[in-house]
Amino acid sequence: GQQVMQIPQYQHVQEGEDFTTYCNSSTTLSNIQWYKQRPGGHPVFLIQLVKSGEVKKQKRLTFQFGEAKKNSSLHITATQTTDVGTYFCAGDYGGSQGNLIFGKGTKLSVKP
Amino acid sequence: DTEVTQTPKHLVMGMTNKKSLKCEQHMGHRAMYWYKQKAKKPPELMFVYSYEKLSINESVPSRFSPECPNSSLLNLHLHALQPEDSALYLCASSQGGFYYNEQFFGPGTRLTVL
């Protein structure tokens, strides 16, 4: 079945260091979404990427969608303690009503 | 109002109990979702309602019964659950229609089955 692979599973960084998480699908995606879940919280939408090769920025966060629409990445520059949480990518393969396939997530911890 | 509300926040039930989880949104969204999330795992889709009709049922056991009374409300009826059903149950909504874009999640109901 359709599956979205996400790595790494965990990332521990020193505050100020950069962080990147990667997602990969074996088949072409219609779009990919990114969510952040703080400890004890619920997933919160960050961004949606739709176009091949798309790059979007939100302050220190940079999101990319691959040319083949099979992979995506989230890069955080100069992490802060407020970035702590689990980052999920969620792939939409289209043709069904909002059925998102979530990656396993990358749990980010930031040491002050 | 960009909020999805869920009640109750916590629920403890025995395997013979019947209980219901409730979800509400007032964003005019026409798609609503139930997810199950176990600890340290991603959300796992259970059901999708589109325009108040069940459009996706991800092979969920019949002890979970969804209901969408109107476009703003979503219920999940629980009966004869098993301890392995203990999890965080998340409700979400999205605009629906042609573009199923960002999903707004509620805070969840943390369910414990004894």
Side-chain angles (χ1 to χ4, degrees):
Chain A
Q2 292 155 340
Q3 204 172 9
V4 176
M5 306 300 292
Q6 186 173 0
I7 57 168
Q9 192 173 357
Y10 300 96
Q11 186 77 58
H12 309 282
V13 300
Q14 193 78 33
E15 190 172 21
E17 292 181 339
D18 292 356
F19 159 77
T20 306
T21 174
Y22 302 89
C23 283
N24 186 67
S25 169
S26 58
T27 55
T28 303
L29 294 159
S30 173
N31 68 79
I32 193 162
Q33 300 176 25
W34 286 90
Y35 291 81
K36 176 183 178 181
Q37 187 171 18
R38 294 180 185 273
H42 57 276
V44 174
F45 175 82
L46 294 176
I47 209 150
Q48 179 181 13
L49 304 171
V50 180
K51 298 178 183 177
S52 168
E54 191 167 17
V55 178
K56 288 188 176 180
K57 292 190 176 184
Q58 291 178 350
K59 297 182 180 178
R60 295 179 294 103
L61 278 61
T62 301
F63 303 85
Q64 294 189 359
F65 201 10
E67 293 291 339
K69 298 183 70 172
K70 290 183 179 181
N71 56 73
S72 182
S73 65
L74 158 60
H75 179 82
I76 302 178
T77 303
T79 55
Q80 300 175 358
T81 53
T82 53
D83 296 324
V84 163
T86 300
Y87 293 85
F88 292 102
C89 61
D92 184 350
Y93 290 89
S96 57
Q97 294 89 8
N99 184 358
L100 295 179
I101 307 297
F102 278 79
K104 291 189 174 182
T106 297
K107 184 174 182 179
L108 173 65
S109 61
V110 179
K111 188 175 181 181
Chain B
D1 184 3
T2 57
E3 189 180 40
V4 175
T5 59
Q6 288 187 246
T7 55
K9 289 187 177 180
H10 301 276
L11 179 62
V12 179
M13 60 186 291
M15 290 189 285
T16 58
N17 293 157
K18 285 186 179 181
K19 296 287 184 182
S20 297
L21 309 184
K22 298 184 183 300
C23 174
E24 191 167 4
Q25 57 88 14
H26 295 289
M27 294 178 277
H29 289 173
R30 302 314 299 268
M32 296 186 76
Y33 312 80
W34 279 117
Y35 288 88
K36 174 182 178 180
Q37 187 176 28
K38 301 280 268 184
K40 300 183 181 180
K41 298 291 185 183
E44 186 181 327
L45 185 66
M46 300 174 72
F47 303 104
V48 180
Y49 272 84
S50 178
Y51 290 83
E52 299 154 53
K53 292 185 179 179
L54 184 64
S55 60
I56 294 178
N57 175 341
E58 291 287 358
S59 303
V60 179
S62 60
R63 57 186 184 268
F64 295 91
S65 176
E67 178 195 19
C68 190
N70 59 56
S71 60
S72 300
L73 293 173
L74 187 65
N75 298 321
L76 185 63
H77 302 298
L78 314 173
H79 174 55
L81 294 193
Q82 304 296 311
E84 59 264 28
D85 296 322
S86 298
L88 180 67
Y89 287 85
L90 294 161
C91 173
S93 70
S94 70
Q95 185 177 337
F98 188 76
Y99 294 105
Y100 286 83
N101 44 20
E102 63 179 290
Q103 294 187 14
F104 291 80
F105 283 82
T109 294
R110 191 160 298 280
L111 174 67
T112 302
V113 182
L114 301 177

